[in-house]
């Protein structure tokens, strides 16, 4: 199936720093989603994007749907210890396909 | 509160044994999904079901079976044909748009 390239694979940052991660694909996506997973738990939806160029915020999180429809990024501002976890991007090539493609995740560690 | 319940949290399988993972949702969602997660990997789709009594294979269906007799329930059986079953299994559900997935807390399956 389709592959999503998510980077970086892991990040170590100081508390209070801003974080940026992104996903790219070789084909056009109709929807981009960002999830966060805590250890031993299921992913939780953070932000959903539906239109090229769309910029959406959820508290300290901001995500954008790339103009080319082949990429998306997630920014976290002023990181705090509870931001630790694995962040996944996911995309839907065809609306209503029921088959999201997931990136391999970005593991975020926050140093107090 | 509405949500998705997976059980058990931890499961051990002996060689040659079939095991069944439970997934129940009370979100009144039409669609349900099973994903497999291996360390450092993204989520891979095993099976999904858009409506009761209907389901489709995902990318890695071999060695797994499912049923969808009730809207609320979507159990996954890991058969003895699945030679590498050790993984974290995630159940999810969505409305019939198939985009925003809501996940359960997962089942860790290990082989004895």
């Amino acid at each position: 199936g389709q592959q999503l390239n998510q980077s970086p694979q892991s990040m170590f940052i100081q508390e209070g720093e801003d974080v940026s991660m992104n996903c790219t694909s070789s084909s056009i996506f109709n929807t981009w989603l960002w999830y966060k997973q805590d250890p031993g738990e299921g992913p939780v939806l953070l932000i959903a994007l539906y239109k090229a160029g769309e910029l959406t915020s959820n508290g300290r999180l901001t995500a954008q749907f790339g103009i080319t429809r082949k990429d998306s990024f997630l920014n976290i501002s002023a990181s705090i210890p509870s931001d630790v976890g694995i962040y996944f991007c996911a995309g839907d090539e065809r609306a209503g396909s029921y088959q999201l493609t997931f990136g391999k995740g970005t593991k975020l560690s926050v140093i107090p | 509160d509405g949500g998705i319940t997976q059980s058990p949290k931890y499961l051990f399988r002996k060689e040659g044994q079939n095991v069944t993972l439970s997934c129940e949702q009370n979100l009144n969602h039409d669609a349900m999904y099973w994903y497999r997660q291996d360390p450092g990997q993204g989520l891979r789709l095993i099976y999904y079901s858009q409506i009761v009594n209907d389901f489709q294979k995902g990318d890695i269906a071999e060695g797994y079976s499912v049923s969808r007799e009730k809207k609320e329930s979507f159990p996954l059986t890991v058969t003895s044909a699945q030679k590498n079953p050790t993984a974290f299994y995630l159940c999810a559900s969505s409305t019939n748009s198939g985009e925003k997935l809501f996940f359960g807390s997962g089942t860790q399956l290990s082989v004895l």
Side-chain angles (χ1 to χ4, degrees):
Chain A
Q2 171 62 241
Q3 296 284 327
L4 283 182
N5 297 309
Q6 187 171 350
S7 65
Q9 280 188 316
S10 62
M11 306 179 72
F12 288 83
I13 61 169
Q14 290 285 144
E15 183 176 356
E17 288 185 347
D18 297 344
V19 174
S20 183
M21 59 191 78
N22 68 80
C23 265
T24 59
S25 74
S26 57
S27 61
I28 290 173
F29 276 47
N30 284 295
T31 306
W32 283 98
L33 304 160
W34 284 93
Y35 285 87
K36 182 194 176 197
Q37 184 178 31
D38 291 328
E41 297 295 327
V44 173
L45 181 64
L46 299 174
I47 293 178
L49 302 159
Y50 299 101
K51 289 171 52 177
E54 180 181 354
L55 185 71
T56 298
S57 294
N58 178 8
R60 293 179 295 106
L61 278 62
T62 301
Q64 184 160 28
F65 193 140
I67 290 292
T68 65
R69 297 172 65 190
K70 293 183 178 182
D71 62 344
S72 177
F73 71 76
L74 175 71
N75 287 341
I76 305 173
S77 63
S79 59
I80 59 178
S82 62
D83 290 334
V84 166
I86 302 177
Y87 292 79
F88 290 99
C89 62
D92 186 353
E93 283 186 77
R94 292 183 295 112
S97 73
Y98 294 86
Q99 299 189 60
L100 290 180
T101 300
F102 283 81
K104 293 186 177 182
T106 294
K107 185 175 182 179
L108 179 64
S109 300
V110 179
I111 304 166
Chain B
D1 285 336
I4 302 175
T5 301
Q6 289 188 241
S7 63
K9 184 65 178 177
Y10 301 95
L11 187 59
F12 296 90
R13 192 191 91 165
K14 295 180 181 178
E15 198 165 330
Q17 186 181 43
N18 294 350
V19 293
T20 297
L21 284 61
S22 170
C23 179
E24 302 277 333
Q25 57 101 356
N26 60 5
L27 298 167
N28 199 32
H29 284 167
D30 289 310
M32 297 187 74
Y33 312 75
W34 276 104
Y35 283 87
R36 170 177 171 144
Q37 185 177 26
D38 294 282
Q41 301 296 313
L43 279 62
R44 292 184 290 168
L45 183 63
I46 304 172
Y47 270 98
Y48 65 100
S49 167
Q50 295 174 245
I51 56 172
V52 175
N53 292 322
D54 187 45
F55 48 83
Q56 283 78 41
K57 293 181 180 180
D59 297 322
I60 55 166
E62 187 173 350
Y64 301 97
S65 66
V66 294
S67 62
R68 186 89 187 275
E69 297 177 1
K70 299 187 302 181
K71 186 175 183 178
E72 301 80 16
S73 179
F74 192 40
L76 173 74
T77 296
V78 184
T79 75
S80 57
Q82 173 50 247
K83 297 307 179 188
N84 184 23
T86 297
F88 192 53
Y89 290 86
L90 288 160
C91 179
S93 69
S94 74
T95 62
N96 57 13
S97 67
E99 294 164 344
K100 292 185 186 178
L101 267 59
F102 293 87
F103 286 88
S105 58
T107 293
Q108 176 64 50
L109 175 63
S110 303
V111 177
L112 289 176

